[in-house]
Structures are given as structure tokens and as C-alpha cells.
Amino acid sequence: AEEVGGGDKEVVREYFNNSGFQRWKKIYGDTDEVNRVQRDIRLGHAKTVENTLSMLKDEGSLQGVTVCDAGCGTGSLSIPLAKEGAVVFASDISAAMVAEAEKQAKEQLATSEDGSVPVMPKFVVKDLESLDGKYDTVVCLDVLIHYPQHKADGMIAHLASLANNRLILSFAPKTFYYDLLKRVGELFPGPSKATRAYLHSEADVERALQKVGWTIRKRGLTTTQFYFARLIEAVPM
Ligand code: SAM
């Protein structure tokens, strides 16, 4: 198979193993060492995770449901999913992220409130293009922002091929307002803003899904001051 990502992928891997790891570990964590913008992004991301969990639980209990969390980061979604009884396969291109997710899972999943022991997610260092197998559900949150649409198309098709029942994706929507905000951001790049951000139009994502026989069933949107994410749940047509 032709490699998706190319040069972008190496830059992204390097970033999320180094400065990006430090930056996002803070944002996704709960300490006070975040600035106002980072705190706002933390809040927005937490809402996306929360909305994803309710989309998933809408269809019934997650007990025993297999979920692939592609680009799991520090485990923000994988850990609550495991608490719900899901059988989680979590992977990320960054070894630093996977190690952190594993550490947090060990701390947070020792025993649940009712005394039962949740199944630990299986954490693996792997880029999502080389994932294989089949899962009831595949989730990929806030990863597409690192890839331009022509590469995102292949990623979406690949993720859909791994899912039996549903695919949940979040991405930064290409709207006029956000485009503008991004341009402003490029004028004032922060010291650790080392990677490019790519926005995706909902129509492009929808087309990529339709090409492989999937259709969007539910849509959500999270916006805070500095965080914008469209959330979609797709199912086979
Ligand atoms: N999904 C997590 C969440 O929402 O908490 C993390 C989101 S973070 C902004 C993006 C993550 O995607 C990083 O952990 C990064 O290492 C990972 N990533 C980027 N490109 C990837 C790829 N091609 N395959 C797998 N993971 C990737």
C-alpha cells in the first residue's frame, strides 16, 4: 500500500515525541501550569471526549464492545472507555504519548468504584495507517488536523475499513471564522507551535466516507474560544 503521510508524518512523529508531547501532556492533564489559551483548549477537548462518550453510550452499554482508539494521545478517551467496560485497543504514532497513556491507565484503572477491575486497554506504538484487524467501533479524535485533505481521505478510508459498526471522527472544521483565526495564529506563532494545522471541510470528510460506503449519522460541534472541533459518527450505508 502507498504510504499515507509521507514527510508530514515524520515531522508529526518527531513533534509528538518531543516539544509536542510536553505541550499536549500539559493541555490534556490537570495541573495549573497552563496558560489561558491552553486552558481553553483543555476545556474544549474535554467536551469533545465527553460528547464522544455519550455518542458511544447512546447505542447501549459498552461492556465488551471492541474499540480502536487511533491516535490515542495520553489516553483521554481510552481510559474512560475502559471504565465503561469496553475492550480498548489504543495506538499512537508517538512512543512518548503511548508510554504516558499507559502510565495514566495504570494509575486510574486499578479498580473502579464498584470494586471490579476494568480491563486495561492494549497500548501500542503504531501509526494509524498500519493498523489492521476489525473492531466494533473505531474512534479517531483530533488527529486529522495534522494531515492535509488528500492524505486525510486515505486515512478515513483506512479507518472505516477497520470498523464493523461505526466510526467516530473529530476534526477542525474549515469555516470562514476558523480560517481567519488560523491566519491570525500564523501571524503570531507560539514557540512550540511546530506543526502545521490543516482544517477540513465537512463536505470533504463526508465525500471521503461516501466513497467507501459510509454515511454520517450524527454530528456534534465543540467550540470554545480557541478550540473548534466537528464531531461525526459514521455508519456503513
Ligand atoms: N486522540 C487524542 C485525544 O483526543 O486526546 C490525542 C489528540 S492529539 C492532538 C493528536 C495525536 O495524534 C498525537 O498523540 C499524535 O502523536 C497522534 N498522531 C498524529 N499522526 C498520527 C498517525 N499518523 N498515526 C497515529 N497517531 C498519530
Side-chain angles (χ1 to χ4, degrees):
E2 200 195 288
E3 201 202 33
V4 183
D8 282 329
K9 189 153 83 176
E10 286 321 307
V11 173
V12 168
R13 190 200 314 271
E14 159 74 17
Y15 171 71
F16 280 107
N17 271 318
N18 296 287
S19 64
F21 171 65
Q22 296 305 334
R23 176 169 197 259
W24 288 98
K25 184 174 82 156
K26 262 200 296 183
I27 292 175
Y28 294 155
D30 55 11
T31 64
D32 284 336
E33 7 148 30
V34 281
N35 62 36
R36 194 173 66 83
V37 174
Q38 291 170 333
R39 189 178 301 278
D40 177 87
I41 295 172
R42 176 189 280 177
L43 237 151
H45 173 260
K47 281 191 197 161
T48 292
V49 169
E50 197 184 300
N51 292 342
T52 303
L53 284 166
S54 29
M55 264 185 183
L56 283 166
K57 289 197 284 189
D58 262 5
E59 306 298 315
S61 162
L62 293 174
Q63 195 67 45
V65 172
T66 55
V67 182
C68 171
D69 183 7
C72 64
T74 58
S76 307
L77 178 72
S78 287
I79 295 169
L81 278 177
K83 286 185 182 158
E84 294 290 330
V87 178
V88 182
F89 179 84
S91 59
D92 199 284
I93 197 172
S94 156
M97 284 289 186
V98 171
E100 178 64 23
E102 202 154 22
K103 176 175 158 247
Q104 292 195 17
K106 280 186 184 135
E107 284 166 14
Q108 295 178 45
L109 294 174
T111 48
S112 58
E113 286 91 69
D114 63 2
S116 63
V117 182
V119 181
M120 277 287 280
K122 186 172 161 48
F123 290 105
V124 175
V125 182
K126 221 178 206 292
D127 60 63
L128 63 82
E129 296 81 358
S130 37
L131 291 174
D132 52 15
K134 278 279 187 186
Y135 305 87
D136 295 325
T137 296
V138 175
V139 187
C140 185
L141 300 185
D142 295 3
V143 177
L144 293 180
I145 188 158
H146 305 295
Y147 298 88
Q149 188 61 41
H150 69 278
K151 285 176 179 157
D153 276 7
M155 293 170 90
I156 291 169
H158 182 58
L159 291 171
S161 78
L162 304 172
N164 283 323
N165 305 324
R166 55 186 170 176
L167 171 61
I168 295 183
L169 293 173
S170 75
F171 55 93
K174 194 174 201 167
T175 59
F176 176 74
Y177 178 57
Y178 193 55
D179 256 346
L180 194 75
L181 201 76
K182 193 195 152 225
R183 258 174 256 143
V184 172
E186 275 166 357
L187 292 175
F188 307 100
S192 55
K193 239 182 116 238
T195 52
R196 279 202 59 176
Y198 297 96
L199 312 174
H200 301 280
S201 87
E202 202 171 333
D204 287 342
V205 171
E206 195 155 16
R207 236 186 322 270
L209 285 162
Q210 275 166 356
K211 249 198 285 180
V212 293
W214 285 63
T215 182
I216 298 179
R217 169 166 77 176
K218 281 184 204 155
R219 297 165 209 260
L221 182 71
T222 304
T223 66
T224 62
Q225 225 181 333
F226 297 99
Y227 177 93
F228 293 78
R230 169 62 82 194
L231 184 67
I232 55 149
E233 181 185 56
V235 292
M237 275 193 241

